[in-house]
């Protein structure tokens, strides 16, 4: 088959790229590096081609391919059919390989003008990881295996839960883009460790290489929560499920690494620490893949038990040992250079940030893997409850939020305590006022975690806003520039800094939304007969009736509920959907979103006579702001990723012309 | 050098305290997966812990009473009566596989806070040592 052949080409190219890359690193030969780059590009083309072959097979319903016969169905709409590529294990790994190929090709193009000693080692490492995935696709998780004869005429279609919402089209790919993208900084970190070099230019490049996957990983996590909220019908977006944690863990360490990477370019310290965090991030993405794809945890995400688990665990083990050996061999790089920072300084802020993020990673990892360890060691079946994660994450999250306010306000170097206080007093005063206001205003009467969180958030937001606009104000005051000019020049010279603060602002919005939605949710289960009304908070819900809708790939039972509320009347229709041959219904909630809260209806059951409906009603405050906060975070990350040199170069002639 | 040592000790202390808190907290928030046989064997221990009880809804045991539902969960050997205030999901019926999360009440009836129905056409009793998974479970929200 074409698919098999293309994957084998990819495997061979990855092997070639690894060998020539490492050889180029050892000999310093530029020729060998050019070969490695050619191999890497071939790998990328092959993996993307393999993916397209499968998309084609899915689109034309070629049921002679086993994977198509497993997830395809003639009655499934075309867009869902294409999305079926990642609805099961083999297809996911295929997409994984294609994304990895694209990343490696991007690294090749991007690193061309950086022919430093680290590059060939980095490229070789990426090809090695690429080879591993090509091997998985070629052998244990081969999606191109022919279906057993006789070839079936139709298939069951993808997992119903994955067909139920359009967000499923974007959530997995963005998560993959995040996960797989961590291979690039990992390769770069290995490159710097092997070559023993870690120049400032390489560190800057490393930060950019981290930022892109971080952006996608953030999107993947948020979209996953959004999907759970819109589809699963339990009224929430995050449940500390092992697979959710699997995506959060590398996000935490990558965030820590992004912060740590800001120090080296300024002070030349913490290099080794940054590299360690990057290695750990990659290992955590492997662990996450193992946890979600091997079936050791049961969830929506673990498709089938498969042979891939042990292989992945083996690869994870080898990677872990390799990382430890590399770090031990380069222990000299790990030690910090120069004097330790002053106790009250921005440097210390970064350090404490990293300690908190790593501690949070550790506790989430402990809670996530504890059941696995207990089952392996003692044979006891258990899980770690949500309260554990909340007990740890809420204080740690608030501490990080507080630091988000303190850190940027503190000057670099050795500020005097007095100057630190001058920087902090106004934001602190504002936060105190906000806290008093929210208690007096009856938002939450006691000094609860929620109040504390809101107060700290106000403080962090105040500092963020001030620091983000500081360059503009300085320009206006000292150069006498007009607001527009000052803003544009500050932006074009300091887009990375500004982007960082925009990300901070978005995170503050998200944290407040999480805290408020967690604390002030109201929910009730109600049973309604047709025509019957019930009051729920500021709304009156009336069951209008029942609808039965036949679609090619599913049948839907909808409960039509008329809602009268202060903002006008509308109708919500939560449904139970049955897919394909399966007779068991999947619920789809219906949500009415406003700026302050969501009204969320989840259909539990329809009575046998068709005249009653059991409905779970939620009033979830602040949910919309989760998605708004995420949009702000993404915008900030993109601003930070804008090529700042080009911006500077563009600004320079204009500046000279002005003079 | 002294400063570095001090900084290292401070970090070690923070990590140590957090680690201690985390471990202590983990052991207080464990949810055990038990079969009715294991639950009965655990005796009074069951009323202190949060338990996920997996098994089949016994035929003829479902009774709707005063805003709640009671039924019996069985694994073929032992049976445990369960009470829930929730509206059971559409698929809930006699003979279907369920996982209920909650605690054993004083009166010997298991008080369910969460009711999940096994989302599978052909229910089979869990094999020896098999964890009642949530992969095929649909939660009553």
């Amino acid at each position: 088959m074409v698919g098999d052949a293309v994957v084998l080409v990819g495997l061979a190219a990855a092997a070639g790229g690894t060998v020539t890359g490492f050889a180029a690193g050892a000999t310093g030969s530029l020729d060998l590096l050019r070969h490695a780059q050619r191999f890497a590009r071939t790998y990328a083309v092959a993996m993307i081609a393999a993916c397209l072959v499968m998309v084609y097979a899915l689109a034309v319903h070629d049921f002679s391919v086993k994977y198509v016969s497993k997830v395809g169905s003639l009655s499934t709409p075309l867009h869902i059919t294409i999305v079926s590529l990642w609805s099961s294990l083999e297809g996911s790994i295929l997409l994984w390989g294609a994304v990895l190929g694209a990343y490696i090709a991007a690294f090749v193009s991007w690193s061309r003008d950086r022919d430093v000693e680290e590059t060939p080692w980095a490229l070789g490492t990426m090809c090695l990881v690429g080879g591993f995935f090509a091997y998985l696709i070629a052998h244990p998780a081969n999606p191109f295996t022919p279906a057993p004869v006789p070839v079936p005429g139709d298939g069951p279609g993808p997992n119903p839960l994955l067909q139920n919402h359009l967000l499923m089209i974007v959530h997995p790919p963005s998560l993959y883009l995040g996960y797989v993208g961590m291979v690039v900084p990992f390769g770069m970190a290995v490159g710097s460790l092997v070559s023993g070099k870690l120049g400032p230019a390489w560190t800057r490049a490393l930060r950019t290489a981290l930022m892109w996957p971080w952006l996608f990983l953030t999107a993947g996590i948020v979209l996953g929560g959004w999907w759970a909220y819109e589809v699963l019908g339990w009224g929430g977006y995050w449940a500390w499920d092992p697979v959710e944690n699997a995506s959060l863990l590398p996000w935490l360490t990558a965030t820590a690494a992004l912060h740590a990477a800001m120090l080296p370019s300024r002070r030349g310290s913490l290099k080794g620490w940054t590299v360690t965090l990057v290695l750990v991030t990659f290992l955590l993405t492997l662990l996450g893949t193992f946890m979600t794809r091997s079936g050791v945890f049961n969830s929506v995400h673990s498709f089938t038990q498969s042979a891939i688990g042990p292989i992945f665990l083996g690869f994870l083990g080898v990677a872990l040992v390799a990382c430890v050996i590399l770090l031990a061999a380069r222990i000299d790089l790990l030690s910090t250079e120069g004097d330790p920072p002053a106790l009250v300084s921005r440097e210390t802020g970064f350090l404490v940030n990293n300690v908190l993020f790593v501690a949070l990673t550790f506790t989430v990892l402990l809670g996530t893997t504890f059941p696995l360890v207990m089952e392996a060691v003692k044979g006891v079946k258990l899980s770690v409850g949500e309260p554990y994660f909340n007990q740890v994450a809420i204080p740690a999250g608030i501490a990080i939020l507080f630091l988000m306010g303190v850190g940027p306000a503190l000057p670099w170097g050795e500020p005097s305590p007095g100057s630190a206080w001058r920087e902090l007093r106004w934001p602190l005063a504002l936060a105190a006022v906000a806290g008093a206001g929210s208690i007096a205003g009856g938002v939450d009467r006691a000094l609860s975690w929620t109040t504390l969180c809101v107060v700290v958030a106000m403080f962090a937001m105040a500092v963020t806003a001030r620091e983000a606009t500081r360059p503009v104000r300085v320009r206006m005051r000292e150069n006498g520039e007009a607001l527009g000019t000052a803003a544009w020049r500050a932006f074009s010279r300091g887009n990375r800094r500004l982007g960082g603060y925009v990300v901070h602002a978005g995170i503050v919005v998200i944290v407040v939304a999480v805290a408020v939605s967690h604390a002030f949710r109201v929910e009730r289960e109600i049973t309604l007969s047709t025509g019957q009304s019930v009051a729920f908070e500021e709304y009156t819900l009336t069951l209008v009736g029942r609808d039965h809708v036949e679609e090619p790939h599913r049948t839907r039972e909808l409960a039509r509920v008329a809602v009268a509320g202060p903002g006008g009347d509308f109708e919500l229709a939560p449904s139970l959907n049955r897919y394909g041959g399966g007779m068991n219904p999947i619920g789809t909630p219906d949500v009415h979103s406003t700026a302050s809260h969501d009204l969320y209806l989840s259909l539990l059951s329809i009575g046998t006579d068709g005249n009653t409906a059991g409905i779970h009603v939620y009033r979830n405050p602040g949910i919309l702001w989760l998605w708004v906060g995420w949009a702000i975070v993404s915008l900030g990350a993109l601003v930070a990723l804008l090529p700042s040199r080009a911006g500077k170069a563009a600004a320079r002639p204009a500046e000279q012309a002005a003079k | 050098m002294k400063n570095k040592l001090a900084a290292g000790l401070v970090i070690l202390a923070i990590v140590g305290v957090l680690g201690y808190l985390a471990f202590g907290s983990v052991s207080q928030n464990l949810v055990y997966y038990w079969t009715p046989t294991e639950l009965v064997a655990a005796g009074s221990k069951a009323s202190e812990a949060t338990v996920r009880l997996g098994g089949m809804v016994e035929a003829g045991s479902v009774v709707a009473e005063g805003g709640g539902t009671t039924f019996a969960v069985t694994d073929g050997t032992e049976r445990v009566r369960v009470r829930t205030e929730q509206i059971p999901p559409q698929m809930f019926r006699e003979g279907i596989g369920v996982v209920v999360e909650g605690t054993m009440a004083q009166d010997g009836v298991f008080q369910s806070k969460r009711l999940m129905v096994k989302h599978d056409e052909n229910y089979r009793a869990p094999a020896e040592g098999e964890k009642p998974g949530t992969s095929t479970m649909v939660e009553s929200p």
Side-chain angles (χ1 to χ4, degrees), chain A residues 77-436:
Chain A
L78 181 66
H79 67 276
I80 301 274
T81 300
I82 290 170
V83 172
S84 311
L85 175 66
W86 51 82
S87 75
S88 193
L89 175 81
E90 292 84 358
S92 305
I93 300 270
L94 193 60
L95 177 64
W96 200 276
V99 171
L100 183 52
Y103 265 113
I104 293 179
F107 174 76
V108 168
S109 309
W110 178 62
S111 64
R112 271 219 148 160
D113 53 347
R114 290 176 224 270
D115 283 332
V116 285
E117 282 170 70
E118 293 98 322
T119 310
W121 291 110
L123 189 58
T125 309
M126 290 172 213
C127 285
L128 187 62
V129 179
F132 172 69
F133 277 96
Y135 159 73
L136 286 183
I137 298 166
H139 183 54
N142 191 332
F144 297 107
T145 314
V149 273
V151 170
D154 199 355
N159 184 338
L161 276 178
L162 310 185
Q163 296 186 42
N164 233 354
H165 202 280
L166 288 181
L167 276 172
M168 212 49 213
I169 298 175
V170 280
H171 157 60
S174 47
L175 205 55
Y176 292 163
L177 280 165
Y179 256 46
V180 181
M182 294 300 175
V183 173
V184 175
F186 170 72
M188 295 176 72
V190 170
S192 64
L193 281 174
V194 174
S195 63
K197 296 273 161 58
L198 219 175
W202 193 252
T203 318
R204 270 198 300 277
L206 183 65
R207 197 166 55 194
T208 307
L210 264 171
M211 199 73 191
W212 279 108
W214 184 89
L215 174 68
F216 289 119
L217 190 55
T218 310
I221 294 172
V222 174
L223 290 172
W226 200 349
W227 174 79
Y229 184 71
E230 298 280 351
V231 170
L232 296 183
W234 50 275
Y237 45 84
W238 190 265
W240 295 108
D241 182 89
V243 286
E244 291 169 348
N245 298 347
S247 63
L248 182 66
L249 287 168
W251 187 88
L252 290 173
T253 50
T255 309
L258 275 171
H259 285 95
M262 277 171 219
L263 275 178
S265 61
R266 282 184 183 272
R267 291 290 183 271
S269 59
L270 279 185
K271 274 182 196 171
W273 174 241
T274 310
V275 168
T276 310
L277 281 174
V278 172
L279 299 186
V280 170
T281 302
F282 173 70
L283 293 175
L284 285 173
T285 63
L286 285 185
L287 180 71
T289 315
F290 166 71
M291 292 198 298
T292 52
R293 288 292 176 265
S294 65
V296 290
F297 287 112
N298 287 302
S299 82
V300 166
H301 301 73
S302 55
F303 305 125
T304 38
Q305 322 283 338
S306 75
I308 244 174
I311 301 173
F312 234 102
L313 203 58
F315 187 65
L316 176 62
V318 170
L320 177 64
V321 170
C323 286
V324 170
I325 291 176
L326 262 178
L327 285 173
R330 292 291 175 190
I331 196 85
D332 53 320
L333 256 185
L334 293 182
S335 56
T336 48
E337 293 146 32
D339 297 323
L343 187 60
V344 182
S345 67
R346 196 178 291 193
E347 286 89 338
T348 307
F350 276 97
L351 281 178
V352 179
N353 156 300
N354 268 252
V355 171
L356 283 170
F357 268 102
V358 170
L360 190 55
T361 308
F362 168 77
T363 47
V364 174
L365 184 65
L366 177 72
T368 310
T369 52
F370 194 77
L372 286 184
V373 175
M374 286 299 278
E375 193 169 353
V377 176
K378 284 186 162 176
V380 186
K381 287 159 277 170
L382 47 77
S383 72
V384 176
E386 249 180 76
Y388 163 75
F389 293 102
N390 289 338
Q391 276 165 22
V392 177
I394 291 172
I398 291 176
I400 289 171
L401 201 60
F402 181 64
L403 205 60
M404 195 189 261
V406 174
L410 292 177
W412 295 99
E414 297 200 22
S416 68
S419 72
W421 169 242
R422 271 198 303 282
E423 293 292 335
L424 288 175
R425 61 187 169 182
W426 285 115
L428 281 175
L430 187 67
V433 170

Side-chain angles (χ1 to χ4, degrees), chain A residues 233 298 336 340 359 363 366 370 375 381-383 385 387-388 391 525-527 576 583-585 604-606 616, chain B residues 3-4 18 22-23 25-26 29-33 85-87 89-91 119-121 129-131 133-135 141:
Chain A
N298 287 302
T336 48
T363 47
L366 177 72
F370 194 77
E375 193 169 353
K381 287 159 277 170
L382 47 77
S383 72
Y388 163 75
Q391 276 165 22
E525 285 189 350
I526 50 173
T527 307
L576 290 169
M583 283 320 287
N584 288 325
L604 299 174
S605 59
I606 290 182
H616 201 142
Chain B
N3 241 336
K4 262 188 194 175
L18 276 171
F23 270 109
S25 191
V26 154
N29 288 295
L30 295 179
V31 180
Y32 290 91
Y33 290 96
E85 258 78 63
Q86 287 183 300
I87 299 172
Q90 184 84 29
M91 287 153 52
H119 188 249
D120 190 353
E121 298 298 281
E130 191 186 14
K131 184 159 77 182
T134 46
S135 66

Side-chain angles (χ1 to χ4, degrees), chain A residues 503-524:
Chain A
V503 170
H504 277 193
I507 296 282
V508 172
V509 172
I510 290 178
V511 171
V512 171
V514 167
V516 168
S517 70
H518 188 74
F520 303 122
R521 160 205 270 201
V522 182
E523 57 176 302
R524 188 146 55 116

Side-chain angles (χ1 to χ4, degrees), chain B residues 59-94:
Chain B
S61 72
V62 181
V63 183
E65 46 159 42
T69 309
T70 67
F71 54 95
V73 171
T74 173
D75 58 357
T77 319
E78 291 284 355
R79 62 194 293 280
V80 175
R81 283 212 67 77
V82 177
R83 179 170 48 225
T84 176
E85 258 78 63
Q86 287 183 300
I87 299 172
Q90 184 84 29
M91 287 153 52
F92 180 82
R93 58 174 181 263
E94 289 167 0

Side-chain angles (χ1 to χ4, degrees), chain A residues 624-650:
Chain A
L624 189 68
W625 296 95
L626 275 177
W627 326 132
V628 172
W630 165 61
I632 298 173
V633 167
S634 303
L635 177 74
L638 285 172
V639 166
L641 278 165
L642 284 176
S644 60
R645 269 193 212 125
K648 271 181 198 162

